[in-house]
Amino acid sequence: EAGVAQSPRYKIIEKRQSVAFWCNPISGHATLYWYQQILGQGPKLLIQFQNNGVVDDSQLPKDRFSAERLKGVDSTLKIQPAKLEDSAVYLCASSPDGYTDTQYFGPGTRLTVL
Amino acid sequence: AQSVTQLDSHVSVSEGTPVLLRCNYSSSYSPSLFWYVQHPNKGLQLLLKYTSAATLVKGINGFEAEFKKSETSFHLTKPSAHMSDAAEYFCVVRINAGGTSYGKLTFGQGTILTVHP
């Protein structure tokens, strides 16, 4: 079974630029999550999708971050404009549904904002 | 509200000696608890989980954890460390109550395990 795929793996941009990350969850998984992991901290949930609808985006900085999951499969997370404090690893995870215990994580995208 | 505290940011052991990574949690509801491991430049991998069944949970690679409700703890142990165990470990609590936060994971700060030859 293929795991959660993310791209790119690494990205370096300058502040005020925009950037987008892509995630393809495990086939058939209805729930998709985006996490932000700042160096030295545990991952923090940014947004949760159930199919193509948003379940929880309470921690998403909506003035600069946006995410979509068209057709309820893959998803993109965008930052525009980026700030220095956005430097982090962005993790995507999926689960069969929002009630299943286990979330399966992708390898992450490491973003560096200069 | 729920929270997770990992009591040690770094743990260093010698190969072949026991490993103990400590975790305390706070939850308003009966929690599900997890340990995830993160090797450098790799994704988070589930080690084990507690979901209100047996309080002693066995996971992959010889790790186990014991849920102690009276102590609100979920410490991770392994009898004998291996070099390949060197990684960062996260204790995680999951909300099992209703509402839009159902299923939300809260991660601890992480414990970096170093294994010396």
Side-chain angles (χ1 to χ4, degrees):
Chain A
E1 178 183 79
V4 176
Q6 291 187 246
S7 67
R9 292 294 311 278
Y10 305 90
K11 190 74 176 179
I12 300 173
I13 62 172
E14 296 188 349
K15 60 183 179 182
R16 292 187 288 274
Q17 287 186 324
S18 62
V19 64
F21 312 126
W22 175 81
C23 171
N24 190 25
I26 293 173
S27 178
H29 281 195
T31 310
L32 185 147
Y33 312 80
W34 282 102
Y35 290 85
Q36 179 192 57
Q37 185 178 15
I38 293 173
L39 186 66
Q41 299 180 19
K44 181 187 77 173
L45 180 68
L46 291 175
I47 188 168
Q48 175 182 345
F49 291 94
Q50 182 71 18
N51 296 309
N52 59 351
V54 175
V55 173
D56 183 353
D57 64 355
S58 57
Q59 297 295 307
L60 188 73
K62 298 180 187 63
D63 58 333
R64 298 185 299 106
F65 285 65
S66 65
E68 60 182 11
R69 191 184 184 198
L70 300 175
K71 301 180 182 179
V73 182
D74 54 355
S75 174
T76 55
L77 176 69
K78 298 179 181 178
I79 308 175
Q80 182 179 8
K83 293 185 175 181
L84 297 177
E85 57 262 36
D86 299 332
S87 294
V89 175
Y90 291 85
L91 297 165
C92 180
S94 70
S95 67
D97 55 56
Y99 300 94
T100 304
D101 292 306
T102 304
Q103 295 182 18
Y104 299 85
F105 286 81
T109 296
R110 182 177 299 275
L111 173 67
T112 302
V113 182
L114 302 175
Chain B
Q2 62 185 31
S3 65
V4 178
T5 302
Q6 292 184 240
L7 300 172
D8 307 290
S9 58
H10 291 81
V11 170
S12 181
V13 301
S14 298
E15 190 174 22
T17 64
V19 175
L20 170 63
L21 305 183
R22 299 182 294 166
C23 172
N24 287 121
Y25 70 92
S26 172
S27 176
S28 302
Y29 305 93
S30 295
S32 293
L33 293 160
F34 308 79
W35 277 98
Y36 278 84
V37 60
Q38 188 174 37
H39 288 93
N41 299 315
K42 294 193 176 180
L44 287 156
Q45 181 185 19
L46 180 67
L47 272 181
L48 49 79
K49 62 182 179 181
Y50 165 78
T51 56
S52 77
T55 56
L56 182 62
V57 181
K58 294 187 183 299
I60 61 172
N61 301 332
F63 284 95
E64 63 182 36
E66 185 171 9
F67 173 71
K68 292 187 177 180
K69 186 175 181 179
S70 60
E71 298 177 9
T72 61
S73 69
F74 191 58
H75 300 334
L76 181 70
T77 61
K78 182 174 181 178
S80 177
H82 190 273
M83 295 295 291
S84 61
D85 295 329
E88 188 163 18
Y89 293 78
F90 293 95
C91 183
V92 183
V93 62
R94 178 179 186 270
I95 292 178
N96 290 330
T100 58
S101 294
Y102 189 95
K104 181 176 178 178
L105 299 184
T106 299
F107 283 75
Q109 295 288 83
T111 298
I112 296 174
L113 176 64
T114 302
V115 182
H116 298 288

